[in-house]
Amino acid sequence: VVEADGNYVQPFAVDDLDIYSGESYSVLITTNQNPRNNYWVSVGVRGREPKTPQGLTRLNYKPNSASRLPTSPPPVTPLWNNYTHSKSFTTSILALMGSPKPPTTFHRRITLLNTQNKINGGYTKWAINNVSLSLPSTPYLGSIKYGLKNAFSTVNPPESFPNDYDVMKPPVNPNTTTGNGVYTLTLNSTVDVILQNANALSENVSEIHPWHLHGHDFWVLGYGDGKFDPKRDEKKFNLKNPPLRNTAVIFPYGWTALRFVADNPGVWAFHCHIEPHLHM
């Protein structure tokens, strides 16, 4: 693996790699196998229990030999819920020497609690700090550019969640509200975002979510299990060679810490890249 989301990483060797929705990677393969044979590449589901078989394609050396089946069996995808395997791959991704380093301090920290909720008599929604986005009828960028009033809420969304929230259990109150406020950032300020995963509506269920930021790359400072604790977990931040990404995952019942510089004025979406979750 040599590149992730358009940024060079310290090269490392793997037999398989996790690619979550929104991510991209570059890999180098040494073509040193028997050129008379063809070889399988398999693609399987990660992070969700698969309801379909693996997808398969073939590598071949000789022209017009692609139709010949490989003699070896296809590689088997690791178990969908082998999170130890997934975390091992994800935490191996480090910036190449000479890559830009993050600022050592931040101006603002926003903690985003990911929860599954109910709304309007039982519809399942996803929410951030117990607010589920409902897009206004007029696009944000036009509203701001032309100074339209009352086009969307001017109340800042919540910047964190209650300290006593138990991320290991389903929400005590499963209901959520809707809102369309935005986080307004100071130009060139350094912003930390803590993505906090939690239990979904069903007991013992917490899913992987790939979060994608438009308009910026961010440094992934670290990952952890359980509820993020600044006093304990900031000490673990990687400020030496964190990878620059535009998509990062939060693992079940865990947190992911991101840092970026707000240096690209605009209205930028930050969302789970699983398409149904975006719409929900």
Side-chain angles (χ1 to χ4, degrees):
V1 180
V2 295
E3 172 267 329
D5 291 353
N7 297 289
Y8 289 119
V9 301
Q10 294 181 21
F12 63 103
V14 292
D15 294 319
D16 56 78
L17 65 160
D18 285 9
I19 306 177
Y20 299 100
S21 179
E23 294 185 325
S24 64
Y25 291 97
S26 293
V27 299
L28 302 179
I29 299 173
T30 303
T31 54
N32 58 354
Q33 303 302 304
N34 186 338
R36 291 189 293 272
N37 295 332
N38 289 346
Y39 299 90
W40 288 117
V41 177
S42 67
V43 181
V45 176
R46 308 286 291 132
R48 299 290 188 282
E49 186 173 3
K51 306 298 183 183
T52 56
Q54 295 181 169
L56 295 172
T57 189
R58 283 167 287 188
L59 294 178
N60 67 288
Y61 288 91
K62 290 187 174 182
N64 305 316
S65 67
S67 62
R68 191 169 62 247
L69 288 176
T71 56
S72 59
V76 177
T77 302
L79 285 175
W80 68 272
N81 58 354
N82 185 345
Y83 297 121
T84 300
H85 187 83
S86 294
K87 291 175 183 179
S88 175
F89 171 76
T90 300
T91 55
S92 297
I93 302 168
L94 300 169
L96 189 66
M97 185 181 298
S99 299
K101 292 186 178 183
T104 55
T105 57
F106 62 92
H107 299 106
R108 183 176 176 184
R109 171 170 287 164
I110 301 172
T111 303
L112 303 179
L113 174 69
N114 287 227
T115 55
Q116 192 182 51
N117 297 84
K118 295 287 187 179
I119 200 166
N120 292 343
Y123 291 102
T124 302
K125 301 281 280 185
W126 289 92
I128 295 299
N129 295 339
N130 212 45
V131 178
S132 187
L133 176 64
S134 179
L135 287 170
S137 55
T138 303
Y140 290 107
L141 192 61
S143 301
I144 293 171
K145 180 177 179 179
Y146 295 106
L148 304 182
K149 295 183 178 180
N150 304 318
F152 61 89
S153 174
T154 57
V155 178
N156 253 15
E159 305 242 338
S160 62
F161 61 95
N163 285 329
D164 61 355
Y165 190 95
D166 190 345
V167 301
M168 306 302 294
K169 297 180 179 178
V172 175
N173 176 11
N175 299 307
T176 188
T177 59
T178 58
N180 57 28
V182 298
Y183 294 102
T184 302
L185 308 177
T186 302
L187 183 63
N188 292 322
S189 62
T190 299
V191 181
D192 275 15
V193 176
I194 307 298
L195 294 168
Q196 177 67 62
N197 212 343
N199 201 104
L201 287 169
S202 301
E203 287 192 31
N204 302 315
V205 175
S206 185
E207 300 179 340
I208 283 179
H209 300 273
W211 275 84
H212 176 70
L213 178 61
H214 291 225
H216 303 78
D217 282 350
F218 48 69
W219 290 275
V220 184
L221 301 185
Y223 304 87
D225 297 319
K227 188 188 292 186
F228 178 77
D229 181 342
K231 293 182 180 178
R232 178 193 64 205
D233 296 325
E234 279 185 17
K235 300 174 185 177
K236 307 174 188 175
F237 282 1
N238 175 14
L239 300 177
K240 179 183 176 183
N241 56 1
L244 264 175
R245 306 294 303 268
N246 58 48
T247 306
V249 299
I250 41 171
F251 291 102
Y253 301 110
W255 56 265
T256 300
L258 315 175
R259 179 169 293 176
F260 72 99
V261 178
D263 57 1
N264 187 14
V267 178
W268 301 112
F270 184 46
H271 61 91
C272 175
H273 215 286
I274 297 173
E275 206 75 4
H277 294 192
L278 169 63
H279 294 298
M280 293 163 68

